Amino acid sequence: MTAPPLDDTYFMKQALAEARTAASEGEIPVGAVIVCNNQVIARAHNQTELLNDATAHAEILAVTAASGTLGAKYLTECTLYVTVEPCVMCAGAIGWAQLSKVVYGAGDEKRGFRRYAPQALHPKTVVLSGVLEAECAEEMQKFFRERR
């Protein structure tokens, strides 16, 4: 049996698993993983309810964990996979950490950084959107459907 290819889809599935964990904990289902040299070095999901902290977004927690793993504040050789387009706050953190690539699934028309702060990321950061977009969007829609 061969191992699955380590590509954007593979790593987004890892982020989706984090999003599902968030939903099971009553958190908005956003999941993130940070990959360096084809290895997941950090994984996180929203924990704003658990930590009673509006800044405890998946991306922020993943950046903090990755920095700890690497012992470095700059993540220049790393890729962030996140199920939903980062908000302005998270985009700022991603920019300061200088991640080389950001891959997200579903866009966020209401709070996404591309609408409000399209220059927030580091100028060299490559952005790829729409990876497993339908699955990522469905996690959010399902979460909010169940709460109405």
Side-chain angles (χ1 to χ4, degrees), residues 27-28 45-57 61:
E27 301 279 355
I28 293 176
H45 55 272
N46 275 6
Q47 293 188 5
T48 59
E49 300 300 324
L50 174 70
L51 300 175
N52 198 29
D53 179 355
T55 69
H57 289 196
L61 297 173

Side-chain angles (χ1 to χ4, degrees), residues 15-35:
L16 265 168
E18 287 293 318
R20 291 178 180 127
T21 298
S24 75
E25 295 172 358
E27 301 279 355
I28 293 176
V30 177
V33 297
I34 295 182
V35 174

Side-chain angles (χ1 to χ4, degrees), residues 19-20 22-27 29 138-148:
R20 291 178 180 127
S24 75
E25 295 172 358
E27 301 279 355
E138 175 55 28
E139 284 302 314
M140 292 293 278
Q141 292 161 358
K142 178 179 158 191
F143 178 82
F144 287 109
R145 249 193 332 264
E146 290 172 358
R147 268 141 193 81
R148 288 191 186 117

Side-chain angles (χ1 to χ4, degrees), residues 67-87:
S67 294
T69 298
L70 295 179
K73 65 180 177 181
Y74 299 124
L75 305 175
T76 54
E77 301 299 317
C78 301
T79 300
L80 167 72
Y81 293 86
V82 61
T83 55
V84 177
E85 177 184 354
C87 70

